[in-house]
Coordinates of all heavy atoms in Angstrom, one line a residue:
D1 N -3.4 36.0 76.8 CA -3.2 34.8 75.9 C -3.7 33.5 76.4 O -3.5 32.5 75.8 CB -1.7 34.7 75.6 CG -0.8 34.5 76.8 OD1 -1.3 34.9 77.9 OD2 0.3 34.0 76.7
W2 N -4.5 33.6 77.5 CA -5.1 32.4 78.0 C -6.2 31.9 77.0 O -7.1 32.6 76.6 CB -5.8 32.6 79.3 CG -6.6 31.5 79.9 CD1 -8.0 31.5 80.2 CD2 -6.1 30.2 80.3 NE1 -8.4 30.3 80.7 CE2 -7.3 29.5 80.8 CE3 -4.9 29.6 80.4 CZ2 -7.1 28.2 81.3 CZ3 -4.8 28.3 80.8 CH2 -5.9 27.6 81.3
P3 N -6.1 30.6 76.5 CA -7.0 30.1 75.5 C -8.5 30.2 75.9 O -8.8 30.1 77.1 CB -6.6 28.7 75.2 CG -5.2 28.6 75.9 CD -5.2 29.6 77.0
K4 N -9.3 30.3 74.9 CA -10.8 30.4 75.1 C -11.3 29.1 75.6 O -12.2 29.0 76.5 CB -11.5 30.9 73.9 CG -13.0 31.1 74.1 CD -13.7 31.6 72.8 CE -15.2 31.7 73.0 NZ -15.9 32.2 71.8
D5 N -10.9 28.0 75.1 CA -11.3 26.7 75.5 C -10.1 25.8 75.7 O -9.8 24.9 75.0 CB -12.2 26.0 74.3 CG -12.9 24.8 74.8 OD1 -12.8 24.4 76.0 OD2 -13.6 24.1 74.0
P6 N -9.4 26.0 76.8 CA -8.1 25.5 77.1 C -8.1 23.9 77.1 O -7.1 23.3 76.7 CB -7.7 26.1 78.4 CG -8.9 26.5 79.1 CD -9.9 26.9 78.0
E7 N -9.1 23.3 77.7 CA -9.1 21.9 77.9 C -9.1 21.1 76.6 O -8.6 19.9 76.5 CB -10.2 21.4 78.8 CG -10.1 21.9 80.2 CD -11.2 21.4 81.1 OE1 -11.7 20.3 80.9 OE2 -11.6 22.1 82.1
T8 N -9.6 21.7 75.5 CA -9.7 21.0 74.2 C -8.7 21.5 73.2 O -8.4 20.8 72.2 CB -11.1 21.1 73.6 OG1 -11.5 22.5 73.5 CG2 -12.1 20.4 74.5
T9 N -8.2 22.7 73.4 CA -7.3 23.3 72.4 C -5.8 23.1 72.8 O -4.9 23.2 72.0 CB -7.5 24.8 72.2 OG1 -7.4 25.5 73.5 CG2 -9.0 25.0 71.7
V10 N -5.5 22.9 74.1 CA -4.1 22.7 74.5 C -4.0 21.2 74.9 O -4.5 20.8 76.0 CB -3.8 23.6 75.7 CG1 -2.3 23.3 76.1 CG2 -4.0 25.0 75.4
V11 N -3.4 20.4 74.1 CA -3.4 18.9 74.3 C -2.0 18.3 74.4 O -1.8 17.2 74.9 CB -4.2 18.2 73.1 CG1 -5.6 18.7 73.2 CG2 -3.5 18.5 71.8
A12 N -1.0 19.0 74.0 CA 0.4 18.5 74.0 C 1.0 18.6 75.4 O 0.7 19.6 76.1 CB 1.3 19.3 73.0
K13 N 1.7 17.6 75.8 CA 2.2 17.5 77.2 C 3.1 18.7 77.5 O 2.9 19.3 78.6 CB 3.0 16.2 77.4 CG 3.7 16.1 78.8 CD 4.5 14.8 79.0 CE 5.2 14.8 80.3 NZ 5.9 13.5 80.5
D14 N 4.0 19.1 76.7 CA 4.9 20.2 77.0 C 4.1 21.6 77.1 O 4.4 22.4 78.0 CB 6.0 20.4 75.9 CG 5.5 20.5 74.5 OD1 4.2 20.3 74.3 OD2 6.3 20.9 73.6
Q15 N 3.1 21.8 76.3 CA 2.3 23.0 76.4 C 1.5 23.0 77.7 O 1.3 24.0 78.3 CB 1.4 23.1 75.1 CG 2.1 23.3 73.8 CD 1.2 23.4 72.7 OE1 0.0 22.9 72.7 NE2 1.6 24.0 71.6
I16 N 0.9 21.8 78.0 CA 0.2 21.7 79.3 C 1.0 22.0 80.5 O 0.6 22.7 81.4 CB -0.5 20.4 79.4 CG1 -1.6 20.2 78.3 CG2 -1.1 20.1 80.8 CD1 -2.2 18.8 78.2
A17 N 2.3 21.5 80.4 CA 3.2 21.8 81.5 C 3.5 23.2 81.7 O 3.6 23.7 82.8 CB 4.5 21.0 81.3
V18 N 3.6 23.9 80.6 CA 3.9 25.4 80.7 C 2.7 26.1 81.3 O 2.9 27.0 82.2 CB 4.2 26.0 79.2 CG1 4.2 27.5 79.3 CG2 5.5 25.4 78.7
W19 N 1.5 25.8 80.9 CA 0.3 26.5 81.4 C 0.1 26.1 82.9 O -0.3 27.0 83.7 CB -0.9 26.2 80.6 CG -1.1 27.1 79.4 CD1 -1.0 26.7 78.1 CD2 -1.3 28.5 79.5 NE1 -1.2 27.8 77.3 CE2 -1.4 28.9 78.1 CE3 -1.4 29.4 80.5 CZ2 -1.6 30.3 77.8 CZ3 -1.7 30.8 80.1 CH2 -1.7 31.2 78.8
L20 N 0.3 24.9 83.2 CA 0.2 24.4 84.6 C 1.1 25.2 85.5 O 0.7 25.8 86.6 CB 0.4 22.9 84.7 CG 0.1 22.3 86.1 CD1 -1.4 22.5 86.5 CD2 0.4 20.8 86.0
A21 N 2.4 25.3 85.2 CA 3.4 26.0 86.0 C 3.1 27.5 86.0 O 3.2 28.1 87.1 CB 4.8 25.7 85.4
R22 N 2.7 28.0 84.9 CA 2.4 29.5 84.8 C 1.2 29.9 85.7 O 1.2 30.8 86.4 CB 2.2 29.9 83.4 CG 1.9 31.4 83.2 CD 1.8 31.8 81.7 NE 1.3 33.1 81.6 CZ 1.0 33.7 80.4 NH1 1.3 33.0 79.3 NH2 0.6 34.9 80.3
S23 N 0.2 29.1 85.6 CA -1.1 29.4 86.3 C -0.8 29.3 87.8 O -1.3 30.1 88.6 CB -2.2 28.5 85.9 OG -1.9 27.1 86.3
I24 N 0.0 28.3 88.2 CA 0.3 28.1 89.7 C 1.1 29.3 90.2 O 0.8 29.9 91.2 CB 1.0 26.8 89.9 CG1 0.0 25.6 89.7 CG2 1.7 26.8 91.3 CD1 0.6 24.3 89.7
K25 N 2.1 29.7 89.4 CA 2.9 30.8 89.8 C 2.1 32.1 89.9 O 2.3 32.9 90.9 CB 4.1 31.0 88.7 CG 5.0 32.2 89.1 CD 6.1 32.3 88.0 CE 7.0 33.5 88.3 NZ 8.1 33.6 87.3
E26 N 1.3 32.4 88.9 CA 0.5 33.6 88.9 C -0.6 33.6 90.0 O -0.9 34.6 90.6 CB -0.2 33.8 87.5 CG 0.9 34.1 86.5 CD 0.4 34.3 85.1 OE1 -0.9 34.2 84.9 OE2 1.1 34.6 84.2
A27 N -1.1 32.4 90.3 CA -2.1 32.3 91.4 C -1.4 32.6 92.7 O -2.0 33.3 93.6 CB -2.7 30.9 91.4
R28 N -0.3 32.0 92.9 CA 0.5 32.3 94.1 C 0.8 33.8 94.3 O 0.7 34.3 95.4 CB 1.8 31.5 94.2 CG 2.4 31.3 95.5 CD 3.7 30.6 95.5 NE 4.1 30.1 96.8 CZ 4.6 30.9 97.8 NH1 4.8 32.2 97.6 NH2 5.0 30.3 98.9
G29 N 1.2 34.4 93.2 CA 1.5 35.8 93.2 C 0.3 36.7 93.6 O 0.4 37.7 94.3
A30 N -0.9 36.2 93.1 CA -2.1 37.0 93.4 C -2.5 36.9 94.9 O -2.9 37.9 95.5 CB -3.3 36.4 92.6
V31 N -2.3 35.8 95.5 CA -2.5 35.6 96.9 C -1.5 36.5 97.7 O -1.9 37.1 98.7 CB -2.5 34.2 97.3 CG1 -2.7 34.0 98.8 CG2 -3.5 33.3 96.6
E32 N -0.3 36.4 97.3 CA 0.8 37.2 98.0 C 0.4 38.7 98.0 O 0.7 39.4 98.9 CB 2.1 37.0 97.3 CG 2.8 35.6 97.6 CD 4.1 35.5 96.9 OE1 4.3 36.2 95.9 OE2 4.9 34.6 97.3
Q33 N -0.1 39.2 96.9 CA -0.4 40.6 96.7 C -1.7 41.0 97.3 O -1.9 42.2 97.5 CB -0.3 41.0 95.3 CG 1.1 40.9 94.6 CD 1.1 41.1 93.1 OE1 0.1 41.6 92.6 NE2 2.1 40.7 92.5
A34 N -2.6 40.1 97.6 CA -3.9 40.4 98.2 C -3.8 41.1 99.5 O -3.2 40.6 100.4 CB -4.8 39.2 98.2
G35 N -4.4 42.3 99.7 CA -4.4 43.0 101.0 C -5.6 42.6 101.8 O -6.5 41.9 101.4

């Protein structure tokens, strides 16, 4: 569900906050799982 053009299609503060937190959490998880 990651938007195709996120910088121009996601503009509301609350929606941006959700994606920012989610991306950080998932990035951290990817590093944790990397062997």
